[in-house]
Amino acid sequence: MSTNTVSLPGGTWSLGELTVTRFGYGAMQLAGPGVMGAPADRDSALAVLRTAVDLGVTHIDTADAYGPRVTNELIREALHPYPASLHVVTKVGAHRDEQGGWPPARQPAQLRRAVHDNLETLGLERLDLVNLRLGDATGPQPGSLAEAFGTLVELQQQGLIRHLGVSNASAEQVAEARAIAPIVCVQNMYNLAHRHDDRLIDELAGDGIAYVPFFPLGGFSPLQSSALSAVASRLDTTPMSVALAWLLRRSPNILLIPGTSSVAHLTENVAGAGTRLSADDLAELDKIGAGHDIAG
């Protein structure tokens, strides 16, 4: 497998001592509909993972709850033994119910089991980075993370986890986690229209901590914006390409993990993230974040 990262937009970032490409890959969409069950085309799913690494991606995001277990098993089948340059990031703190929901699973015993499940399904003796998922499907929720995060710190001290992060967290919870132990990333919802974490991103950048946005184009309710469409049309590209390129320009600590189950879409995302945005383009796009020009 190639480890050439020259063609990937955005360069690299350090998660502790681990260097990753700022353009990464999120594996969630490799599972079946609703992130449940096996993919319709297993060979295609494996091809996406192998193509990502061939393109130079060194940051893959996953979770044992995806499927459940499905994406981790695909990653292992496609890429194990892993290249030394590849870093797989996972998350714990939620599981799947029979209705496809994401109920919290943040009790110490649940977290310990989740870490061991990730180790088993990925075929690893130590996880590079584990994010603690907080809140619920509507976003971050108030409350202390001390017990749950402390459990992950214990597992880190046992040598099962290299680095820690938090996901779906409020700024207060990020600060609480950092007071307990070092973190190397925060993974929250953020995009052109949802910019509530602007201050947090800048604070983390100053401290060398990565920010990993999910739902770069609105997720299950895609962002509808005439400004975004206009910029994309003017540059002869797609709204997703513009959204990804904007995120890379927003701050050097932002890492992208766009997901797809298609090799063609993966390569399109790589090319799109390298779209050059002018000062006028950026000014027009920033109006979206100010609350203008959002429909639907």
Side-chain angles (χ1 to χ4, degrees):
M1 295 179 183
S2 168
T3 56
N4 175 26
T5 63
V6 174
S7 62
L8 289 177
T12 61
W13 183 264
S14 295
L15 298 171
E17 81 286 1
L18 308 177
T19 299
V20 297
T21 48
R22 289 183 65 205
F23 188 97
Y25 173 73
M28 185 175 73
Q29 292 187 32
L30 294 183
V35 202
M36 290 290 284
D41 189 333
R42 189 177 187 88
D43 288 342
S44 292
L46 296 171
V48 169
L49 289 163
R50 290 168 180 150
T51 301
V53 173
D54 285 343
L55 289 170
V57 167
T58 62
H59 172 200
I60 293 180
D61 180 85
T62 186
D64 207 48
Y66 298 164
R69 300 175 70 93
V70 169
T71 62
N72 279 6
E73 291 171 350
L74 289 167
I75 289 168
R76 181 175 184 173
E77 181 177 346
L79 303 174
H80 195 278
Y82 305 111
S85 61
L86 180 64
H87 302 295
V88 179
V89 175
T90 190
K91 66 181 69 65
V92 296
H95 64 89
R96 308 305 301 279
D97 59 27
E98 293 181 356
Q99 291 72 44
W102 303 80
R106 295 191 285 269
Q107 295 300 312
Q110 293 173 313
L111 293 171
R112 293 187 189 100
R113 183 166 59 249
V115 166
H116 283 281
D117 285 346
N118 275 279
L119 288 166
E120 177 186 347
T121 54
L122 289 168
L124 292 168
E125 294 183 357
R126 179 168 61 171
L127 300 169
D128 279 338
L129 169 55
V130 174
N131 286 310
L132 173 64
R133 184 185 189 275
L134 300 164
D136 57 28
T138 66
Q141 299 298 321
S144 173
L145 53 64
E147 181 181 44
F149 193 70
T151 300
L152 295 186
V153 172
E154 292 175 6
L155 294 168
Q156 182 185 41
Q157 292 169 343
Q158 294 169 18
L160 299 180
I161 301 171
R162 191 185 301 263
H163 293 295
L164 299 173
V166 292
S167 178
N168 206 29
S170 67
E172 292 75 18
Q173 289 165 333
V174 172
E176 184 183 14
R178 295 183 65 187
I180 296 170
I183 64 172
V184 299
C185 80
V186 173
Q187 186 181 104
N188 278 357
M189 180 176 177
Y190 180 83
N191 55 47
L192 274 163
H194 298 89
R195 298 185 57 177
H196 48 280
D197 273 354
D198 271 335
R199 181 179 297 180
L200 177 62
I201 289 170
D202 294 339
E203 175 188 327
L204 296 173
D207 292 336
I209 297 172
Y211 185 94
V212 186
F214 56 80
F215 293 159
L217 201 58
F220 301 113
S221 300
L223 167 67
Q224 302 297 318
S225 162
S226 60
L228 177 59
S229 297
V231 172
S233 178
R234 186 164 65 241
L235 297 176
D236 193 25
T237 189
T238 65
M240 174 62 94
S241 295
V242 173
L244 294 175
W246 178 84
L247 285 167
L248 284 180
R249 287 286 299 272
R250 167 62 184 84
S251 183
N253 66 324
I254 286 182
L255 310 183
L256 303 184
I257 51 168
T260 179
S261 59
S262 158
V263 168
H265 191 204
L266 170 64
T267 55
E268 180 181 287
N269 282 342
V270 171
T275 300
R276 295 183 180 276
L277 301 176
S278 69
D280 288 344
D281 295 332
L282 292 170
E284 192 169 350
L285 294 169
D286 280 341
K287 292 178 183 178
I288 302 171
H292 306 299
D293 189 52
I294 303 173

